[in-house]
Amino acid sequence: MIGPLSTDLTQQPTLHSARLILRPLCSEDAAAVAALAGDRRVASQLADVPSPFPLDVAARWVEARLDRFVRGGGPTFAITERVRGAMLLGTVSLRSVPRDRRAELGYWLGHEFWGAGLASEAVSRVLRWAFVESNLHRVYAQVIATNQRSQRVLEKAGMEREGTRRGHLKKGRRFVDVDQYGILRDEWMKSPLAGAKAPHR
Ligand SMILES: CC(C)(COP(=O)(O)OP(=O)(O)OC[C@H]1O[C@@H](n2cnc3c(N)ncnc32)[C@H](O)[C@@H]1OP(=O)(O)O)[C@@H](O)C(=O)NCCC(=O)NCCS
């Protein structure tokens, strides 16, 4: 079993689902991250990504994610499609707090890849990894209150809306409300998602 306390970079697994391969993020992904996440339609929904996203800033973002994993703070996966090969379409991550066996889920996809169910598939696979293979107790996510598309992704993954933090995030000159979503391991284990067909290896 691979635990969230792992500090060995070589231990980050590659996860498979019907259409996707979620592989460890790497330095070579910086250019794709800059181009795809720096798109205003993507960056506007994220807390830590500017638009535009200069390459050197994106490279530091990637390095910070790799460093976070090495320090036991949880993995960031590059979302890739089996048919397209290693090309990064987006990322999905778990920022973990090992002491509490909880992790914050984060994700984004390049705009051209929206609307095909890929985010839902990636999130579902990562939740399975979190609860089955990593024995986490809780996974939660924070989503800008107007981001209905992302809320739908979380609901389809079995996550419940737990409340709203008013004016929690500063985006440009505005303070925006942020909805909290979460799911506990027991809830996920009892859900139809847990009984779904095992992912393709
Ligand atoms: C959020 C994001 C990852 C979703 O990607 P995606 O691949 O389009 O998501 P999916 O196709 O798996 O699911 C989207 C769901 O939202 C629904 N949806 C689309 N537009 C919607 C809208 N305006 N209102 C409500 N639901 C909407 C879709 O119909 C779909 O639900 P369904 O399967 O029941 O039909 C993508 O839009 C993105 O990267 N956004 C910017 C970054 C971001 O918001 N990240 C999350 C931060 S919490």
Side-chain angles (χ1 to χ4, degrees):
M1 178 182 293
I2 297 160
L5 288 167
S6 170
T7 55
D8 181 352
L9 187 57
T10 63
Q11 294 254 325
Q12 181 172 341
T14 293
L15 308 179
H16 297 81
S17 64
R19 290 177 293 173
L20 301 177
I21 297 177
L22 307 179
R23 61 161 173 81
L25 192 67
C26 63
S27 307
E28 291 71 29
D29 290 321
V33 168
L36 297 177
D39 181 320
R40 184 186 46 77
R41 293 163 293 196
V42 178
S44 63
Q45 304 303 323
L46 301 173
D48 62 346
V49 170
S51 178
F53 203 3
L55 181 55
D56 59 324
V57 183
R60 287 200 294 276
W61 185 93
V62 169
E63 291 309 319
R65 293 307 183 97
L66 302 182
D67 186 51
R68 186 163 95 184
F69 179 73
V70 171
R71 287 185 289 101
T76 299
F77 296 96
I79 302 174
T80 71
E81 246 183 330
R82 287 172 187 265
V83 292
R84 288 178 212 255
M87 186 182 109
L88 176 145
L89 314 184
T91 70
V92 56
S93 59
L94 286 173
R95 184 162 64 99
S96 61
V97 180
R99 197 194 78 89
D100 300 320
R101 283 174 45 207
R102 68 175 144 86
E104 180 177 352
L105 174 70
Y107 50 87
W108 59 268
L109 273 180
H111 182 256
E112 65 196 277
F113 309 113
W114 291 13
L118 297 179
S120 300
E121 188 170 324
V123 164
S124 163
R125 183 63 189 95
V126 165
L127 283 184
R128 175 176 294 280
W129 183 75
F131 291 131
V132 177
E133 290 150 86
S134 293
N135 201 27
L136 285 176
H137 171 67
R138 166 175 162 79
V139 173
Y140 60 104
Q142 309 198 65
V143 49
I144 292 175
T146 51
N147 190 353
Q148 293 177 340
R149 185 182 285 266
S150 183
Q151 290 166 353
R152 181 78 192 119
V153 169
L154 296 171
E155 284 158 9
K156 283 196 291 179
M159 295 177 77
E160 243 178 62
R161 189 165 164 275
E162 297 175 329
T164 300
R165 287 181 165 157
R166 293 170 304 141
H168 187 67
L169 186 66
K170 188 161 183 282
K171 288 301 287 182
R173 291 186 199 153
R174 295 176 51 237
F175 291 96
V176 296
D177 294 351
V178 173
D179 287 345
Q180 310 291 307
Y181 281 76
I183 186 166
L184 302 180
R185 182 170 191 274
D186 288 353
E187 294 166 350
W188 187 85
M189 286 297 191
K190 284 183 203 146
S191 76
L193 297 161
K197 198 164 164 267
H200 303 228
R201 285 278 156 198

